[in-house]
Amino acid sequence: MLAAQAPGDDARWFVVEQAGRVLVFDNLDTVAATSVFIDITARVQDGGERGLLGMAFDPQFATNGRVFLHYTRDNNDQLQSVLAAYTSPDGGATLDPASEAILLTVDQPFDNHNGGHLAFGPDGMLYMALGDGGSAGDPQNNAQNTHNLLGKILRIDVSSGTDYTIPTDNRWAGNARCSTGAGSAECPEIHCLRSAQPLAIQLRCLDRRSLGRRRRPGRLGGSGPRRRRRQLRMAIPGGRALLRPRRAAARLKAVATRSSIPTPNTITASAPR
């Protein structure tokens, strides 16, 4: 389950359900009811590690009403991860399922390790977490393969709302996009790789002097035991990202108050313990 607030709006909480709904309720101690922000359960293949896995409000949500969702679906018997954009028809009260614009799809070879979270960084780019495709021990070596998007953290520019572009400072920015999950060359969407199942992205904006030694660009963690790949660090322009699935829910809200990232752009609760 994910809980978040929209940029500039601390009066409401939004809760993402794995089955495909997002609920919203007032930020009041006396609140007793919720309403549906969006319901795409008919499109979502859920269960296990599948489902509606991530949500990120556009930093300009107050003016453009745009929200990005990451979910899994059954596409003619092929499990896919989908990144899609939606817009609000009523000033942010709800999202219109019919407004869906699919930006990216990735075929999943197994039904686990689908990753999930979405988050905007302090650089304004959207970061998307994808698992290595599943089974156990990454039998297809996806996390090491730079020609596909599985087992990666992606960094893309979604400012157009209905498509995405590659930031010019991405490592392989000159290559053709891998908008269906794979390509003939290194995928330019890749920011970091070697991630088995990144369940939560925590972004903290830090002064460069506080970063210390940074990993080689494009590498995240290592290819060692699973426990090492589930607690990872990655460098981002202007900041650092920590992927700590079991600790993120407890720490993100506190981190937001100490950092320069606005609270609405921070995931304030994440994967269940």
Side-chain angles (χ1 to χ4, degrees), residues 113-225:
H113 286 195
N114 298 306
H117 274 185
L118 300 174
F120 280 92
D123 53 358
M125 300 297 112
L126 180 66
Y127 290 79
M128 178 179 181
L130 281 168
D132 62 16
S135 188
D138 193 7
Q140 298 182 351
N141 201 34
N142 289 314
Q144 315 289 334
N145 182 359
T146 56
H147 289 203
N148 75 49
L149 301 181
L150 293 170
K152 315 298 191 300
I153 306 298
L154 313 184
R155 177 176 179 258
I156 57 177
D157 183 343
V158 294
S159 55
S160 75
T162 56
D163 201 356
Y164 71 91
T165 58
I166 305 299
T168 57
D169 55 347
N170 276 16
R171 188 175 184 182
W172 294 297
N175 292 354
R177 299 187 311 172
C178 297
S179 58
T180 57
S184 59
E186 290 84 357
C187 294
E189 296 88 347
I190 296 173
H191 181 61
C192 296
L193 51 100
R194 298 177 176 173
S195 60
Q197 172 65 330
L199 298 176
I201 302 175
Q202 177 181 343
L203 301 175
R204 292 197 293 175
C205 190
L206 302 175
D207 186 274
R208 285 186 178 271
R209 292 172 297 179
S210 68
L211 290 174
R213 187 176 68 179
R214 297 176 63 179
R215 296 186 183 276
R216 179 184 175 189
R219 291 286 187 261
L220 181 114
S223 57

Side-chain angles (χ1 to χ4, degrees), residues 70-72 79-83 104-108 114 130:
H70 178 191
Y71 65 90
T72 55
L79 183 66
Q80 282 186 336
S81 291
V82 177
L83 173 65
L104 183 150
T105 60
V106 181
D107 287 351
Q108 293 284 352
N114 298 306
L130 281 168

